[in-house]
Amino acid sequence: MDRYGTDVLAGDWKVPKRGRAVETPADHGLVVEEVTTDWCGEIVAVDRDLHTVTLEDRRGKRRTFPLGTGFLLEGKPVILTPPVTKAAPARPTRTASGSIAVHDAKARVARASRIFVEGRHDAELVEKVWGDDLRIEGVVVEYLGGVDDLADHLRDFKPGPNRRVGVLVDHLVAGSKESRIAQGIMKSPVGKDVLIVGHPFIDIWQAVKPDRLGFKEWPKVPKGIDWKKGTCQQLGWPHRDQADIARAWKHVLGGVRGFQDLDPQLLGRVEELIDFVTAPGS
């Protein structure tokens, strides 16, 4: 017996107890644990641009983490990578707004009536959630740069009984400039064929439920600071220039799968506009 014949350093003696981390696609439905916080949850969203993954725990709460190292899968370390693109899943039975999906239906010839939406991000959100429904109904959504331009738009459009206009306005609260403009138009000769509604949010981003993005509530940004930049700063998101803000909005919009991810105060207003412009004879 050679009691000195065994080399204790032979082999991979530095290997961790749980093994070495291996790359694993961050596929939806995979349950992983983030080691620094012990947060365990199902993967519900992956943002390729921000390189983040969102986990939802058994209570329905969500948190967002950077992709990469620091995760356990069935007790073994993994390096989460963006998921591999898969074949298209079975077509959904409902639209993002909750309506019954009508597959392969041709868009209806556009009605004369219109919906104007103030703000580019607002229009993109309306399109994402209600786009399928609006195409079936033949309703065209037009981007409105600002409520100050509304009177000019209506003068050119010439609303009437068969040319109704619904308008979604940003941050429409009592006593504001926006509310005074809206009241003036509603009292004008075209007012009976125009419906102006608004949401109470400072910015349409706030209509997205914050837990869908991994935090409890939207930050409170002091007056005098640009709301979007201030929000990104407090959330730890890049906010140096407009490109950063655009990427942040893409991340926010990416957290919206359908109506269930939006505040009811916005849902009701949009549905009210759709009913108004699709009423018989409009």
Side-chain angles (χ1 to χ4, degrees), residues 263-279:
D263 191 294
Q265 294 181 89
L266 177 66
L267 298 177
R269 301 293 75 74
V270 176
E271 296 291 350
E272 186 179 358
L273 291 178
I274 294 175
D275 289 345
F276 180 76
V277 300
T278 58

Side-chain angles (χ1 to χ4, degrees), residues 118-119 121-122 169-173 178 198-208 218-231 263 265:
E118 182 190 16
H121 292 174
D122 304 56
V169 178
D170 249 347
H171 198 46
L172 189 63
V173 294
E178 291 81 3
H199 56 72
F201 311 112
I202 297 174
D203 192 279
I204 196 65
W205 294 21
Q206 291 180 307
V208 180
W218 285 99
K220 294 177 174 59
V221 179
K223 291 184 178 180
I225 298 178
D226 180 84
W227 189 88
K228 290 186 176 71
K229 288 187 176 181
T231 294
D263 191 294
Q265 294 181 89

